[in-house]
Short mmCIF file of all heavy atoms in Angstrom, two decimals:
data_model
loop_
_atom_site.label_atom_id
_atom_site.label_comp_id
_atom_site.label_asym_id
_atom_site.label_seq_id
_atom_site.Cartn_x
_atom_site.Cartn_y
_atom_site.Cartn_z
N THR G 1 -2.06 5.59 8.73
CA THR G 1 -3.04 4.56 9.04
C THR G 1 -2.66 3.26 8.34
O THR G 1 -1.74 3.23 7.51
CB THR G 1 -4.45 5.00 8.59
OG1 THR G 1 -4.41 5.27 7.18
CG2 THR G 1 -4.89 6.26 9.33
N PHE G 2 -3.40 2.19 8.64
CA PHE G 2 -3.07 0.87 8.12
C PHE G 2 -3.09 0.83 6.59
O PHE G 2 -2.35 0.05 5.99
CB PHE G 2 -4.03 -0.18 8.68
CG PHE G 2 -5.42 -0.07 8.12
CD1 PHE G 2 -5.79 -0.82 7.02
CD2 PHE G 2 -6.34 0.80 8.66
CE1 PHE G 2 -7.07 -0.72 6.49
CE2 PHE G 2 -7.62 0.92 8.14
CZ PHE G 2 -7.98 0.15 7.04
N ASP G 3 -3.89 1.65 5.95
CA ASP G 3 -3.97 1.60 4.50
C ASP G 3 -2.83 2.35 3.81
O ASP G 3 -2.65 2.24 2.61
CB ASP G 3 -5.32 2.12 4.01
CG ASP G 3 -5.51 3.61 4.26
OD1 ASP G 3 -4.99 4.11 5.28
OD2 ASP G 3 -6.18 4.26 3.44
N GLU G 4 -2.04 3.10 4.57
CA GLU G 4 -0.95 3.89 3.99
C GLU G 4 0.41 3.20 4.07
O GLU G 4 1.37 3.68 3.51
CB GLU G 4 -0.83 5.23 4.72
CG GLU G 4 -2.04 6.12 4.58
CD GLU G 4 -1.93 7.34 5.45
OE1 GLU G 4 -1.19 8.26 5.08
OE2 GLU G 4 -2.59 7.36 6.52
N VAL G 5 0.48 2.09 4.79
CA VAL G 5 1.77 1.42 5.01
C VAL G 5 1.65 -0.05 4.64
O VAL G 5 0.69 -0.72 5.03
CB VAL G 5 2.21 1.55 6.48
CG1 VAL G 5 3.53 0.82 6.71
CG2 VAL G 5 2.32 3.01 6.88
N LEU G 6 2.62 -0.56 3.89
CA LEU G 6 2.69 -1.99 3.59
C LEU G 6 4.03 -2.49 4.11
O LEU G 6 5.08 -2.08 3.62
CB LEU G 6 2.57 -2.25 2.09
CG LEU G 6 2.66 -3.72 1.68
CD1 LEU G 6 1.49 -4.52 2.27
CD2 LEU G 6 2.68 -3.87 0.17
N LEU G 7 3.98 -3.34 5.11
CA LEU G 7 5.18 -3.96 5.68
C LEU G 7 5.43 -5.23 4.90
O LEU G 7 4.70 -6.21 5.03
CB LEU G 7 4.99 -4.25 7.16
CG LEU G 7 6.16 -4.91 7.87
CD1 LEU G 7 7.42 -4.06 7.79
CD2 LEU G 7 5.80 -5.16 9.33
N CYS G 8 6.46 -5.24 4.07
CA CYS G 8 6.73 -6.35 3.17
C CYS G 8 7.59 -7.42 3.84
O CYS G 8 8.51 -7.11 4.60
CB CYS G 8 7.45 -5.86 1.92
SG CYS G 8 6.53 -4.61 1.00
N THR G 9 7.27 -8.66 3.52
CA THR G 9 8.06 -9.82 3.94
C THR G 9 8.17 -10.74 2.73
O THR G 9 7.49 -10.51 1.72
CB THR G 9 7.36 -10.59 5.09
OG1 THR G 9 6.16 -11.20 4.58
CG2 THR G 9 7.04 -9.69 6.27
N PRO G 10 8.98 -11.78 2.81
CA PRO G 10 9.02 -12.73 1.69
C PRO G 10 7.66 -13.40 1.42
O PRO G 10 7.42 -13.90 0.33
CB PRO G 10 10.06 -13.76 2.13
CG PRO G 10 10.95 -12.99 3.07
CD PRO G 10 10.03 -12.05 3.79
N GLN G 11 6.76 -13.37 2.41
CA GLN G 11 5.45 -13.99 2.25
C GLN G 11 4.39 -13.01 1.72
O GLN G 11 3.24 -13.40 1.50
CB GLN G 11 4.95 -14.57 3.59
CG GLN G 11 5.73 -15.79 4.05
CD GLN G 11 7.09 -15.42 4.63
OE1 GLN G 11 7.26 -14.39 5.27
NE2 GLN G 11 8.08 -16.27 4.38
N THR G 12 4.73 -11.75 1.52
CA THR G 12 3.78 -10.77 1.00
C THR G 12 3.36 -11.20 -0.41
O THR G 12 4.20 -11.51 -1.24
CB THR G 12 4.39 -9.36 0.97
OG1 THR G 12 4.80 -9.01 2.29
CG2 THR G 12 3.41 -8.33 0.44
N THR G 13 2.05 -11.21 -0.64
CA THR G 13 1.54 -11.68 -1.93
C THR G 13 1.45 -10.54 -2.94
O THR G 13 1.41 -9.36 -2.57
CB THR G 13 0.15 -12.30 -1.76
OG1 THR G 13 -0.77 -11.28 -1.35
CG2 THR G 13 0.16 -13.44 -0.74
N ALA G 14 1.35 -10.93 -4.20
CA ALA G 14 1.20 -9.95 -5.27
C ALA G 14 -0.12 -9.19 -5.11
O ALA G 14 -0.20 -8.00 -5.40
CB ALA G 14 1.25 -10.64 -6.63
N GLU G 15 -1.15 -9.88 -4.61
CA GLU G 15 -2.45 -9.23 -4.41
C GLU G 15 -2.36 -8.14 -3.34
O GLU G 15 -2.97 -7.07 -3.49
CB GLU G 15 -3.50 -10.27 -4.01
CG GLU G 15 -3.90 -11.21 -5.12
CD GLU G 15 -2.86 -12.31 -5.39
OE1 GLU G 15 -2.02 -12.59 -4.51
OE2 GLU G 15 -2.88 -12.86 -6.50
N GLN G 16 -1.62 -8.37 -2.28
CA GLN G 16 -1.46 -7.36 -1.24
C GLN G 16 -0.74 -6.14 -1.80
O GLN G 16 -1.13 -5.00 -1.52
CB GLN G 16 -0.68 -7.93 -0.06
CG GLN G 16 -1.44 -8.97 0.73
CD GLN G 16 -0.55 -9.67 1.75
OE1 GLN G 16 0.57 -10.06 1.44
NE2 GLN G 16 -1.08 -9.84 2.96
N VAL G 17 0.30 -6.37 -2.58
CA VAL G 17 1.05 -5.25 -3.18
C VAL G 17 0.16 -4.52 -4.18
O VAL G 17 0.16 -3.29 -4.24
CB VAL G 17 2.35 -5.76 -3.84
CG1 VAL G 17 3.05 -4.63 -4.58
CG2 VAL G 17 3.26 -6.39 -2.81
N GLU G 18 -0.63 -5.26 -4.95
CA GLU G 18 -1.52 -4.64 -5.93
C GLU G 18 -2.54 -3.74 -5.25
O GLU G 18 -2.76 -2.60 -5.69
CB GLU G 18 -2.23 -5.70 -6.75
CG GLU G 18 -3.17 -5.12 -7.78
CD GLU G 18 -3.86 -6.16 -8.64
OE1 GLU G 18 -3.41 -7.32 -8.67
OE2 GLU G 18 -4.85 -5.79 -9.29
N LEU G 19 -3.18 -4.23 -4.20
CA LEU G 19 -4.15 -3.39 -3.48
C LEU G 19 -3.50 -2.12 -2.95
O LEU G 19 -4.07 -1.03 -3.04
CB LEU G 19 -4.77 -4.18 -2.33
CG LEU G 19 -5.75 -5.27 -2.72
CD1 LEU G 19 -6.12 -6.11 -1.50
CD2 LEU G 19 -6.99 -4.68 -3.36
N PHE G 20 -2.30 -2.27 -2.41
CA PHE G 20 -1.58 -1.11 -1.88
C PHE G 20 -1.27 -0.11 -2.99
O PHE G 20 -1.51 1.09 -2.84
CB PHE G 20 -0.30 -1.58 -1.19
CG PHE G 20 0.54 -0.47 -0.67
CD1 PHE G 20 0.22 0.17 0.52
CD2 PHE G 20 1.66 -0.02 -1.37
CE1 PHE G 20 0.98 1.22 0.99
CE2 PHE G 20 2.42 1.02 -0.90
CZ PHE G 20 2.09 1.64 0.28
N LEU G 21 -0.73 -0.58 -4.10
CA LEU G 21 -0.37 0.32 -5.19
C LEU G 21 -1.60 0.99 -5.80
O LEU G 21 -1.56 2.15 -6.19
CB LEU G 21 0.43 -0.42 -6.26
CG LEU G 21 1.85 -0.78 -5.87
CD1 LEU G 21 2.51 -1.62 -6.97
CD2 LEU G 21 2.68 0.46 -5.59
N ARG G 22 -2.70 0.27 -5.86
CA ARG G 22 -3.93 0.88 -6.38
C ARG G 22 -4.41 2.00 -5.47
O ARG G 22 -4.84 3.05 -5.94
CB ARG G 22 -5.02 -0.17 -6.57
CG ARG G 22 -4.76 -1.07 -7.76
CD ARG G 22 -5.90 -2.03 -8.01
NE ARG G 22 -5.60 -2.94 -9.08
CZ ARG G 22 -5.68 -2.64 -10.39
NH1 ARG G 22 -6.08 -1.44 -10.75
NH2 ARG G 22 -5.37 -3.52 -11.30
N ARG G 23 -4.33 1.79 -4.14
CA ARG G 23 -4.71 2.87 -3.21
C ARG G 23 -3.81 4.08 -3.41
O ARG G 23 -4.26 5.22 -3.32
CB ARG G 23 -4.61 2.38 -1.76
CG ARG G 23 -5.76 1.55 -1.30
CD ARG G 23 -5.78 1.37 0.20
NE ARG G 23 -4.59 0.77 0.76
CZ ARG G 23 -4.42 -0.53 0.98
NH1 ARG G 23 -5.38 -1.38 0.68
NH2 ARG G 23 -3.30 -0.98 1.51
N CYS G 24 -2.54 3.83 -3.65
CA CYS G 24 -1.57 4.92 -3.79
C CYS G 24 -1.69 5.66 -5.13
O CYS G 24 -1.62 6.88 -5.16
CB CYS G 24 -0.16 4.34 -3.65
SG CYS G 24 1.16 5.50 -3.98
N LEU G 25 -1.87 4.91 -6.20
CA LEU G 25 -1.72 5.49 -7.53
C LEU G 25 -3.02 5.85 -8.25
O LEU G 25 -2.98 6.54 -9.27
CB LEU G 25 -0.91 4.54 -8.41
CG LEU G 25 0.53 4.31 -7.93
CD1 LEU G 25 1.18 3.18 -8.71
CD2 LEU G 25 1.33 5.58 -8.06
N ILE G 26 -4.16 5.38 -7.75
CA ILE G 26 -5.42 5.74 -8.39
C ILE G 26 -5.99 6.94 -7.65
O ILE G 26 -6.23 6.88 -6.45
CB ILE G 26 -6.40 4.55 -8.40
CG1 ILE G 26 -5.83 3.44 -9.30
CG2 ILE G 26 -7.78 5.01 -8.90
CD1 ILE G 26 -6.67 2.21 -9.36
N PRO G 27 -6.19 8.06 -8.36
CA PRO G 27 -6.67 9.28 -7.69
C PRO G 27 -8.04 9.06 -7.06
O PRO G 27 -8.92 8.44 -7.64
CB PRO G 27 -6.76 10.31 -8.82
CG PRO G 27 -6.08 9.71 -9.99
CD PRO G 27 -6.01 8.24 -9.79
N CYS G 28 -8.18 9.56 -5.86
CA CYS G 28 -9.48 9.51 -5.17
C CYS G 28 -9.53 10.71 -4.23
O CYS G 28 -8.61 11.50 -4.15
CB CYS G 28 -9.66 8.20 -4.42
SG CYS G 28 -8.48 7.96 -3.09
N SER G 29 -10.59 10.80 -3.48
CA SER G 29 -10.74 11.94 -2.58
C SER G 29 -10.15 11.65 -1.20
O SER G 29 -10.58 12.19 -0.21
CB SER G 29 -12.22 12.29 -2.44
OG SER G 29 -12.92 11.17 -1.92
N GLY G 30 -9.15 10.79 -1.15
CA GLY G 30 -8.56 10.39 0.13
C GLY G 30 -7.64 11.42 0.74
O GLY G 30 -7.16 11.24 1.84
N GLY G 31 -7.35 12.49 0.05
CA GLY G 31 -6.49 13.51 0.60
C GLY G 31 -5.05 13.35 0.17
O GLY G 31 -4.74 12.68 -0.81
N GLU G 32 -4.16 13.94 0.93
CA GLU G 32 -2.74 13.99 0.60
C GLU G 32 -1.96 12.95 1.40
O GLU G 32 -1.02 13.29 2.12
CB GLU G 32 -2.19 15.38 0.88
CG GLU G 32 -2.79 16.46 0.01
CD GLU G 32 -2.31 16.37 -1.42
OE1 GLU G 32 -1.12 16.06 -1.65
OE2 GLU G 32 -3.12 16.59 -2.32
N LYS G 33 -2.32 11.69 1.27
CA LYS G 33 -1.64 10.65 2.03
C LYS G 33 -0.27 10.36 1.44
O LYS G 33 -0.05 10.49 0.24
CB LYS G 33 -2.47 9.37 2.04
CG LYS G 33 -3.77 9.51 2.80
CD LYS G 33 -4.50 8.19 2.83
CE LYS G 33 -5.73 8.28 3.70
NZ LYS G 33 -6.41 6.98 3.80
N ILE G 34 0.64 9.95 2.30
CA ILE G 34 1.96 9.50 1.87
C ILE G 34 2.00 7.99 2.10
O ILE G 34 1.92 7.53 3.23
CB ILE G 34 3.08 10.20 2.66
CG1 ILE G 34 3.00 11.70 2.47
CG2 ILE G 34 4.44 9.65 2.25
CD1 ILE G 34 3.97 12.48 3.34
N TYR G 35 2.10 7.23 1.03
CA TYR G 35 2.10 5.77 1.11
C TYR G 35 3.54 5.28 1.24
O TYR G 35 4.44 5.82 0.60
CB TYR G 35 1.43 5.18 -0.12
CG TYR G 35 -0.05 5.47 -0.14
CD1 TYR G 35 -0.54 6.64 -0.71
CD2 TYR G 35 -0.94 4.59 0.44
CE1 TYR G 35 -1.89 6.91 -0.71
CE2 TYR G 35 -2.30 4.85 0.44
CZ TYR G 35 -2.77 6.02 -0.14
OH TYR G 35 -4.11 6.30 -0.13
N THR G 36 3.73 4.26 2.06
CA THR G 36 5.08 3.78 2.35
C THR G 36 5.13 2.26 2.28
O THR G 36 4.35 1.57 2.93
CB THR G 36 5.52 4.22 3.76
OG1 THR G 36 5.37 5.65 3.86
CG2 THR G 36 6.95 3.84 4.03
N MET G 37 6.07 1.76 1.49
CA MET G 37 6.37 0.32 1.45
C MET G 37 7.64 0.11 2.27
O MET G 37 8.69 0.66 1.92
CB MET G 37 6.60 -0.16 0.03
CG MET G 37 5.35 -0.20 -0.82
SD MET G 37 5.67 -0.77 -2.51
CE MET G 37 6.04 -2.49 -2.23
N LEU G 38 7.54 -0.65 3.34
CA LEU G 38 8.69 -0.93 4.19
C LEU G 38 9.30 -2.27 3.81
O LEU G 38 8.58 -3.25 3.64
CB LEU G 38 8.26 -0.96 5.66
CG LEU G 38 7.72 0.34 6.23
CD1 LEU G 38 7.13 0.11 7.61
CD2 LEU G 38 8.82 1.37 6.29
N TYR G 39 10.60 -2.32 3.71
CA TYR G 39 11.35 -3.54 3.39
C TYR G 39 10.89 -4.16 2.07
O TYR G 39 10.77 -5.37 1.94
CB TYR G 39 11.27 -4.56 4.53
CG TYR G 39 11.75 -4.01 5.84
CD1 TYR G 39 10.89 -3.86 6.91
CD2 TYR G 39 13.07 -3.61 5.99
CE1 TYR G 39 11.33 -3.33 8.12
CE2 TYR G 39 13.52 -3.07 7.18
CZ TYR G 39 12.63 -2.94 8.24
OH TYR G 39 13.08 -2.42 9.42
#
């Protein structure tokens, strides 16, 4: 889903990466998602 993938570009902000990493690394009841940073 959209929250599991971050498509990076030179314009990707630190805030976007931070939100993504927090979803990935902070334990929650979201299940066994596999998070992916592309490029």
Side-chain angles (χ1 to χ4, degrees):
T1 58
F2 71 94
D3 67 327
E4 296 173 77
V5 179
L6 179 64
L7 179 59
C8 301
T9 68
Q11 290 76 35
T12 301
T13 65
E15 290 77 20
Q16 291 171 315
V17 175
E18 180 178 344
L19 287 171
F20 177 79
L21 288 175
R22 286 185 184 281
R23 281 193 302 267
C24 173
L25 297 170
I26 294 178
C28 64
S29 60
E32 296 288 322
K33 293 183 174 183
I34 300 174
Y35 292 88
T36 306
M37 289 180 70
L38 297 171
Y39 303 115

